[in-house]
Amino acid sequence: MDSLIKTIKSGYLWRFPGGVHPPQKKSLSQTGQIKRPELASKYYVSLKQHIGQQAEACVQVGDKVKKGQMLSRADTAMQLPVHAPTSGIVTDIREHILAHPSGLGEQTIIIEADGSDEWCQREGLDNYQQLPPAQILDKIKSLGVAGLGGAGFPTHIKNSRPEAIELLIINGAECEPYITADDALMREHAADIVAGINILNHLLEAKLVVIAIEDNKPEAIKAMELASADEKDIIVRVVPTKYPTGGEKQLIQVLTGKEVPSGGIPADIGIVMQNVATAYSTYRAVIHGEPLIERVVTLTGESISQAGNYWVRIGTPVAHILTQAGYNQPAEGRLIMGGPMMGFSIHSPLTPVSKITNCLLAPAMNELPDPADEQACIRCGYCADACPASLLPQQLYWHSKAREYEKAQHFDLFDCIECGACAYVCPSEIPLVQYYRVAKANIRQQAAENEKAEKAKERFNQRQLRLEEEKQARIEKQRLAAEKRKQTMQEDASAKDKIAQALARAQAQKASRSTDQAKEQAPAQSTIASDSKNNSPKSAAQAAIARAKAKKAAAQKADNEAMQSAADTDQSDIEKTAKEKAQAAIARAKAKKAAAQKADNEAMQSAADTKQSDTGKTAKEKAQAAIARAKAKKAAAQKVDNGEHANVVEPIEQSDPKTPEPTVDKPASGETNQMSQQDDKSQRIKAAIAKAKAKRKQLGGD
Amino acid sequence: MNFKIASSPHTHVRRKTPAVMLFVAIACLPGIAVQTWYFGIGTLVQICLAILAAVAAEAACLKMRQRSVLPRLKDNSALLTGLLLGISVPPLAQWWVVVIGAIFAIVIAKQIYGGLGQNLFNPAMVGYVVLLVSFPLSMTLWVPPLSLVEYPVTVQDTLMLIFTGYSETGFSLAQLRVDLDGYTMATPLDTVKTALTNQQTYQEILNQKVFSEGTGIAWFEVNLAYLLGGLFLLQQKIINWRIPVAFLLTLTLFSFILHSASPDGSASTILHLFSGATMFAAFFILTDPVSASTTAKGRLIYGALVAVLVFLIRNFGGYPEGIAFAVLLANMAVPLIDYYSQPKTYGK
Ligand code: SF4
Ligand code: SF4
């Protein structure tokens, strides 16, 4: 880097490929002092003025504010506050059109000026050299200083890079035709700009500061050279006029021969670039404590009679300032915010001037004629010759138009800086940049959607994995339990027990036969139920139901003991696990439900799903579930009781507050409906089961 | 006070595609003038025929493809294709030859591919090659300069020849090509090729009348005129310097090496550069934007590739002139060249 700095000091300049020479038209506005227009009656201060997040308003409708008073509070690093451009009353805070190509609205504080233009308390940091950098940065931030050259990047962030900065470039190139705002500022306030540069470099401690100015501004060059004559670390470098020399990447290339890595920032190669106007605002903020509430705006174009540079308060509606500058609107007139190459046309006269508005260009009818209809690309390659990023615009266009976005990206679509040089030279008048913007927007949208889908998929996979693990754990537990039971059974199983079991089974069969409808559907359902081992949501749903039932069962303390013993007996009984039986029983119950109302089933399913996504399921819970299932089998056999069905839902609701309400409501009401229909049937079932139960109990007691 | 919306950039160069095409056509004028001066009014007639046929074919195609006809005709691309083809055809060839060529160029080589900007091959050269292959005799019958012919060709003769095949006085084209001494004249390249095949040395060939008395001079001056037009295009930044420079340099280099190695068995560098269609091709054919390479490196490669092919065909192929074939072959390589000659993007 040291040798590079030596080369830079020696006056060597590199060149960037491509570039164009559109008509300058700077003379329209280049002469004369920066004028101060009259105050507007209303100001529209958008809360969002810059890249980054919008800050919260800290005034209310009806508040009286003074000029320079803070209107919004910046809490995070990427936020910047805005300030009152004049004294007056906050009349409204609402959405208002933004100075942005999209023409979208943004929260805006509307201030009605009282005409006195009275300042609030201001406090500068005269002795900033003695203060810690953090305090200076804080000052810069709280006074809303942003990059005034391009995207309005918060200045305090650019100047608090942790990387070591070797070179600070002050961009005074102003390569866009028509615009002379920086030029005028340098001519009139060179000393203040240099003071601002000193503050910026005090923070960065760069080895060298280069002020780059295009050779079409001889007066500004002279003024800056004069002002910086005593600063040994500051040099003024005159660069040849070529669009887009003032582009950040291109200017770096011209001054250092280095390229900012694709997707990176200048700080990655030890460089920070600030605009001359930013340096000036930094000076006003740090030394005078003045917030960024006004900037120089070039009003130009042949339909403005008093073209020139104006101090315009941020938030001034363009209509006001146009009137002040003697605007005669031609029919079908265009108003461009920014220059003719990269500026955007705005629609509404109430669009406010923002921190990044450097020019209002109002061309006469034939000054900047509308492009004619686009013709076929003749592959002349003029665009490629003009592209400062060494892209192949015709290929980008071809693929963007065909929506072959992958190929467009292969041709480095995202390295396009949208400078418009290609579209400027295209003889077929193809709006190339417009194609790129659309393609970029679509790709970004696609990427966002893909990311969303990817996340959803990941979540789903994780859930599947978890469920599978749970299932394995369950099976293992059951296997262990069965083994234990077998042992116990071998030890003390008596004939009596066996008879009791046989009887119980017989009774149960009889009972199930008596439920006509259930009987028909039960086999099918139980197949599904056993299949459902692979079908996790279903089995989980069943588990949930079982747990619910278990709670209900537990509440009936009287029956508890009997149930327990019966369940135990049952468990030690057969190879088939209790779970399967429980499933069969539940399935039967479900079958009825399904017959009654299908929607019901779905709702249950989703309730169960919600339940499943509850991740903190512990082994204990699972154990409970296993027991519960056993109990449930019992309980279900005992009471295929409507009241119980209704209760199934309740515990789910209680155990998982996240369960959406509609999901809970639906099954409950469905249940009630079904209840009356199934009434006698369940009565009969109940009776039959009770009988079987009694007998078993008797036998067990013996 | 509402404003109209438009997208950036809001300013454009004033030179549009129709103008670009027209500039190229205008730059051909000195060459055409010299050609007419030496070879008679036939050249102009051929050019007019070709342009008419090309524009008519373009209009018909656009109509059939249900595109707006007039705005697209106004891009002047069909005019240019016709013009370039007309220049390439021997001045006294019969009218239907060039008409067929023009129709082929527009319909097959351009519109079937999807119209302007979509074609893989240079339309004029496709038309030319089709003619060369289909009517080899007509396409090689270049007359000697007017000053050298035994029977002077009047304007009426020219028209009669083109439209009927016989001159007013009943001479056929073959008879007219015989010079004062009864020697049939051909183009210098043709002569060299034939003579070299007949084991004559290059020095002996140069002593032939073709060179000593005019034809050589005529072709030299025609080439010079096209070079002039080409420089005008370069100066106007209509064409990029890379293709012509790469083409001419490579051709110079190869012919120089070969001629140094075998001075008797090959044509000199000067002959390569200033006879046949060399200059015309360098500035007007190779630089056809649609079918040529568009990257900086690619243009150099493309120009050099055509030069190598031309050199090979002229020296070792069956045709005395090889530009049309060379261009079409190189056209095929363009997508590949473009793909592998992508410039390095800023910051990559
Ligand atoms: S300048 Fe326009 S016509 Fe020429 S290659 Fe580029 S996009 Fe195509
Ligand atoms: S807009 Fe993009 S593609 Fe066009 S010249 Fe600028 S950087 Fe290149």
Side-chain angles (χ1 to χ4, degrees):
Chain A
M1 199 74 185
D2 282 342
S3 70
L4 176 64
I5 284 178
K6 222 180 256 165
T7 322
I8 295 171
K9 276 184 174 161
S10 77
Y12 186 84
L13 285 178
W14 286 260
R15 54 177 301 281
F16 68 89
V20 290
H21 297 275
Q24 291 285 311
K25 304 271 196 161
K26 300 222 183 207
S27 53
L28 275 175
S29 59
Q30 207 163 18
T31 47
Q33 294 273 308
I34 307 176
K35 290 170 240 176
R36 245 176 220 287
E38 285 167 27
L39 279 182
S41 56
K42 259 189 185 176
Y43 289 90
Y44 301 82
V45 185
S46 314
L47 286 171
K48 190 175 163 79
Q49 299 260 343
H50 61 91
I51 282 187
Q53 301 145 316
Q54 119 184 5
E56 275 302 310
C58 61
V59 288
Q60 268 150 19
V61 176
D63 282 5
K64 210 171 151 21
V65 292
K66 285 188 177 164
K67 178 182 177 184
Q69 184 178 330
M70 198 184 262
L71 298 178
S72 64
R73 215 189 346 264
D75 297 323
T76 70
M78 274 304 275
Q79 287 178 332
L80 267 190
V82 289
H83 301 78
T86 185
S87 58
I89 292 172
V90 177
T91 54
D92 206 352
I93 302 178
R94 62 171 156 88
E95 201 157 277
H96 184 78
I97 194 158
L98 191 67
H100 189 267
S102 67
L104 289 177
E106 194 67 61
Q107 278 306 89
T108 300
I109 297 175
I110 300 166
I111 294 172
E112 199 158 318
D114 60 13
S116 66
D117 206 27
E118 184 191 341
W119 269 106
C120 66
Q121 190 73 22
R122 284 160 291 164
E123 215 177 301
L125 306 173
D126 290 330
N127 57 338
Y128 72 87
Q129 279 103 332
Q130 275 93 55
L131 297 175
Q135 197 176 336
I136 305 171
L137 287 169
D138 211 52
K139 190 87 193 163
I140 291 174
K141 180 185 173 181
S142 67
L143 294 176
V145 180
L148 299 182
F153 197 84
T155 302
H156 66 279
I157 295 187
K158 250 193 193 178
N159 272 283
S160 56
R161 301 290 314 178
E163 295 94 337
I165 299 300
E166 309 270 342
L167 188 64
L168 170 62
I169 297 173
I170 301 298
N171 189 344
E174 201 163 56
C175 62
E176 273 249 16
Y178 283 98
I179 310 180
T180 55
D182 290 348
D183 183 8
L185 194 68
M186 286 188 283
R187 274 186 281 132
E188 287 185 27
H189 297 277
D192 294 347
I193 293 172
V194 171
I197 292 170
N198 280 331
I199 299 171
L200 292 171
N201 202 31
H202 172 70
L203 294 167
L204 287 170
E205 295 178 335
K207 292 194 181 117
L208 184 67
V209 182
V210 181
I211 304 169
I213 308 171
E214 269 189 356
D215 56 13
N216 57 3
K217 301 182 243 315
E219 279 184 49
I221 294 166
K222 223 181 287 162
M224 291 304 291
E225 273 172 349
L226 207 67
S228 64
D230 298 336
E231 311 284 342
K232 68 174 185 6
D233 288 336
I234 300 181
I235 55 174
V236 175
R237 178 67 67 243
V238 180
V239 294
T241 299
K242 174 163 95 168
Y243 179 85
T245 298
E248 186 174 70
K249 293 176 168 187
Q250 280 62 46
L251 190 54
I252 287 175
Q253 193 169 17
V254 168
L255 293 175
T256 69
K258 287 182 155 197
E259 292 179 12
V260 180
S262 173
I265 55 168
D268 296 343
I269 51 172
I271 297 171
V272 164
M273 187 180 292
Q274 294 284 12
N275 180 270
V276 282
T278 313
Y280 178 76
S281 310
T282 306
Y283 160 77
R284 301 297 308 179
V286 174
I287 305 299
H288 299 286
E290 280 175 24
L292 178 52
I293 54 166
E294 65 177 3
R295 62 159 301 148
V296 181
V297 178
T298 304
L299 273 99
T300 184
E302 283 166 18
S303 50
I304 289 183
S305 58
Q306 292 151 48
N309 288 291
Y310 291 80
W311 281 110
V312 181
R313 304 274 167 91
I314 310 296
T316 311
V318 294
H320 170 76
I321 182 76
L322 284 174
T323 319
Q324 295 270 309
Y327 175 53
N328 321 300
Q329 187 180 23
E332 297 250 300
R334 255 179 305 168
L335 182 66
I336 299 160
M337 207 174 245
M341 296 298 286
M342 287 183 84
F344 52 90
S345 59
I346 55 175
H347 172 70
S348 162
L350 285 183
T351 309
V353 165
S354 78
K355 289 181 185 175
I356 57 175
T357 306
N358 51 1
C359 177
L360 287 173
L361 170 56
M365 263 312 274
N366 295 313
E367 195 179 351
L368 299 172
D370 289 343
D373 288 341
E374 80 176 77
Q375 288 183 304
C377 166
I378 54 169
R379 287 171 45 86
C380 59
Y382 293 170
C383 50
D385 295 339
C387 179
S390 299
L391 299 171
L392 294 176
Q394 74 274 25
Q395 302 288 3
L396 292 178
Y397 155 70
W398 188 272
H399 295 309
S400 297
K401 193 178 183 184
R403 296 177 155 267
E404 296 165 347
Y405 292 145
E406 217 145 273
K407 286 189 188 149
Q409 278 170 282
H410 175 82
F411 281 98
D412 297 329
L413 175 64
F414 280 93
D415 287 294
C416 165
I417 57 169
E418 297 181 17
C419 66
C422 52
Y424 171 75
V425 296
C426 177
S428 289
E429 298 192 81
I430 304 170
L432 294 163
V433 183
Q434 195 54 29
Y435 279 104
Y436 307 153
R437 286 198 195 109
V438 170
K440 282 180 184 175
N442 285 345
I443 291 171
R444 286 203 188 101
Q445 197 185 336
Q446 243 171 37
E449 269 162 26
N450 287 349
E451 200 182 328
K452 231 160 93 189
E454 197 58 41
K455 267 190 191 144
K457 198 176 150 201
E458 203 174 291
R459 240 182 292 134
F460 177 78
N461 286 341
Q462 273 173 3
R463 201 186 73 182
Q464 290 298 100
L465 201 73
R466 201 184 61 237
L467 291 175
E468 180 62 23
E469 275 168 8
E470 279 172 19
K471 203 182 91 187
Q472 292 301 335
R474 219 159 44 223
I475 290 171
E476 178 64 12
K477 216 174 228 154
Q478 279 163 7
R479 194 183 60 78
L480 288 176
E483 257 170 32
K484 211 171 164 191
R485 257 181 272 123
K486 230 181 216 166
Q487 258 179 21
T488 346
M489 206 173 75
Q490 276 166 4
E491 279 164 17
D492 60 14
S494 66
K496 253 184 216 165
D497 278 349
K498 282 181 182 165
I499 294 162
Q501 289 153 13
L503 270 170
R505 248 172 303 160
Q507 289 289 0
Q509 269 172 12
K510 216 188 273 169
S512 68
R513 230 172 270 134
S514 64
T515 58
D516 336 320
Q517 206 185 348
K519 186 195 141 204
E520 276 165 30
Q521 291 177 3
Q525 285 291 336
S526 58
T527 326
I528 293 168
S530 50
D531 278 347
S532 73
K533 277 181 193 168
N534 305 324
N535 193 349
S536 340
K538 211 178 264 176
S539 63
Q542 285 161 357
I545 294 164
R547 269 195 300 278
K549 285 181 182 169
K551 275 187 191 163
K552 169 79 181 168
Q556 297 174 318
K557 273 182 184 161
D559 282 354
N560 211 7
E561 267 180 50
M563 273 186 216
Q564 198 67 50
S565 66
D568 282 345
T569 323
D570 246 278
Q571 275 172 3
S572 59
D573 173 19
I574 342 161
E575 310 234 330
K576 243 196 215 166
T577 61
K579 181 188 152 222
E580 271 181 50
K581 282 192 176 176
Q583 283 171 343
I586 294 160
R588 245 173 276 133
K590 265 171 87 179
K592 276 194 256 168
K593 217 188 298 167
Q597 199 170 359
K598 269 184 192 165
D600 211 336
N601 223 345
E602 281 169 25
M604 285 289 260
Q605 200 83 32
S606 63
D609 273 351
T610 325
K611 180 74 190 159
Q612 280 166 5
S613 58
D614 193 356
T615 43
K617 211 181 268 176
T618 61
K620 203 163 122 200
E621 260 182 49
K622 276 183 253 163
Q624 279 173 354
I627 296 165
R629 246 173 270 121
K631 287 181 187 170
K633 182 241 164 190
K634 175 75 182 160
Q638 217 172 36
K639 311 183 150 211
V640 185
D641 173 16
N642 298 320
E644 193 176 275
H645 277 298
N647 277 330
V648 163
V649 186
E650 258 173 42
I652 292 179
E653 186 185 22
Q654 285 160 5
S655 60
D656 191 350
K658 272 180 266 173
T659 313
E661 270 183 352
T663 324
V664 178
D665 283 352
K666 231 176 165 183
S669 61
E671 220 62 59
T672 328
N673 248 338
Q674 182 212 355
M675 261 184 252
S676 46
Q677 287 174 12
Q678 302 278 331
D679 216 11
D680 348 55
K681 224 172 285 164
S682 43
Q683 287 294 342
R684 263 182 285 144
I685 298 165
K686 199 174 153 191
I689 292 171
K691 227 190 286 169
K693 174 91 203 321
K695 266 188 188 163
R696 204 188 327 179
K697 209 173 169 187
Q698 232 176 10
L699 285 164
D702 288 342
Chain B
M1 203 202 273
N2 274 347
F3 310 103
K4 224 171 83 183
I5 295 295
S7 74
S8 71
H10 305 276
T11 174
H12 296 270
V13 278
R14 304 290 148 129
R15 192 183 287 148
K16 311 297 175 220
T17 296
V20 170
M21 300 285 176
L22 209 60
F23 260 86
V24 178
I26 289 168
C28 286
L29 291 181
I32 294 171
V34 177
Q35 224 170 311
T36 309
W37 171 260
Y38 279 111
F39 301 106
I41 197 84
T43 307
L44 292 182
V45 178
Q46 299 291 356
I47 290 172
C48 290
L49 281 173
I51 290 177
L52 279 178
V55 171
E58 175 108 332
C61 280
L62 288 173
K63 191 129 211 168
M64 273 194 292
R65 291 176 60 213
Q66 295 177 350
R67 303 290 159 93
S68 48
V69 177
L70 259 188
R72 281 167 202 255
L73 275 190
K74 276 199 208 137
D75 66 29
N76 290 336
S77 62
L79 177 137
L80 186 61
T81 301
L83 178 77
L84 297 178
L85 184 66
I87 290 172
S88 319
V89 172
L92 295 181
Q94 281 196 280
W95 66 273
W96 43 264
V97 172
V98 78
V99 168
I100 289 176
I103 292 174
F104 222 89
I106 295 293
V107 178
I108 305 292
K110 183 174 164 192
Q111 289 294 341
I112 282 188
Y113 279 89
L116 180 61
Q118 317 273 331
N119 46 307
L120 181 61
F121 296 104
N122 183 325
M125 288 301 101
V126 170
Y128 182 83
V129 163
V130 165
L131 296 182
L132 195 61
V133 172
S134 319
F135 315 109
L137 201 64
S138 306
M139 290 301 286
T140 44
L141 291 184
W142 282 84
V143 285
L146 293 178
S147 54
L148 294 182
V149 286
E150 190 179 1
Y151 315 102
V153 186
T154 62
V155 173
Q156 281 101 317
D157 281 338
T158 306
L159 293 177
M160 291 285 287
L161 272 168
I162 291 173
F163 290 103
T164 67
Y166 288 95
S167 75
E168 219 178 12
T169 38
F171 290 111
S172 74
L173 187 54
Q175 289 166 304
L176 287 172
R177 292 177 73 224
V178 178
D179 77 349
L180 297 168
D181 302 332
Y183 194 90
T184 304
M185 299 289 276
T187 66
L189 283 174
D190 217 350
T191 315
V192 172
K193 182 120 209 157
T194 319
L196 283 177
T197 327
N198 293 339
Q199 307 298 318
Q200 288 175 283
T201 67
Y202 186 59
Q203 283 312 315
E204 287 167 2
I205 300 167
L206 283 188
N207 290 329
Q208 286 180 8
K209 248 207 203 126
V210 171
F211 294 100
S212 57
E213 280 182 30
T215 314
I217 309 278
W219 280 106
F220 182 82
E221 285 180 11
V222 168
N223 269 282
L224 219 53
Y226 282 117
L227 172 61
L228 214 73
L231 293 178
F232 168 69
L233 287 183
L234 279 182
Q235 187 261 331
Q236 286 292 313
K237 298 218 162 72
I238 297 275
I239 56 172
N240 185 283
W241 60 270
R242 289 190 174 83
I243 290 177
V245 168
F247 172 73
L248 293 176
L249 275 184
T250 312
L251 193 60
T252 308
L253 186 76
F254 275 74
S255 55
F256 180 76
I257 293 172
L258 188 69
H259 191 62
S260 311
S262 107
D264 282 347
S266 66
S268 72
T269 306
I270 291 293
L271 189 81
H272 269 296
L273 290 183
F274 285 96
S275 66
T278 306
M279 288 300 164
F280 175 60
F283 295 98
F284 296 90
I285 299 294
L286 268 65
T287 52
D288 163 53
V290 179
S291 57
S293 174
T294 55
T295 66
K297 257 186 274 169
R299 283 167 173 160
L300 293 175
I301 298 170
Y302 176 79
L305 178 65
V306 178
V308 171
L309 290 170
V310 166
F311 174 77
L312 290 177
I313 294 171
R314 277 185 183 175
N315 284 292
F316 310 106
Y319 286 91
E321 177 60 294
I323 285 176
F325 291 107
V327 167
L328 293 188
L329 285 173
N331 282 167
M332 284 195 276
V334 162
L336 209 67
I337 296 175
D338 272 6
Y339 187 84
Y340 285 105
S341 62
Q342 256 187 69
K344 186 195 82 77
T345 303
Y346 181 102
K348 287 268 170 174

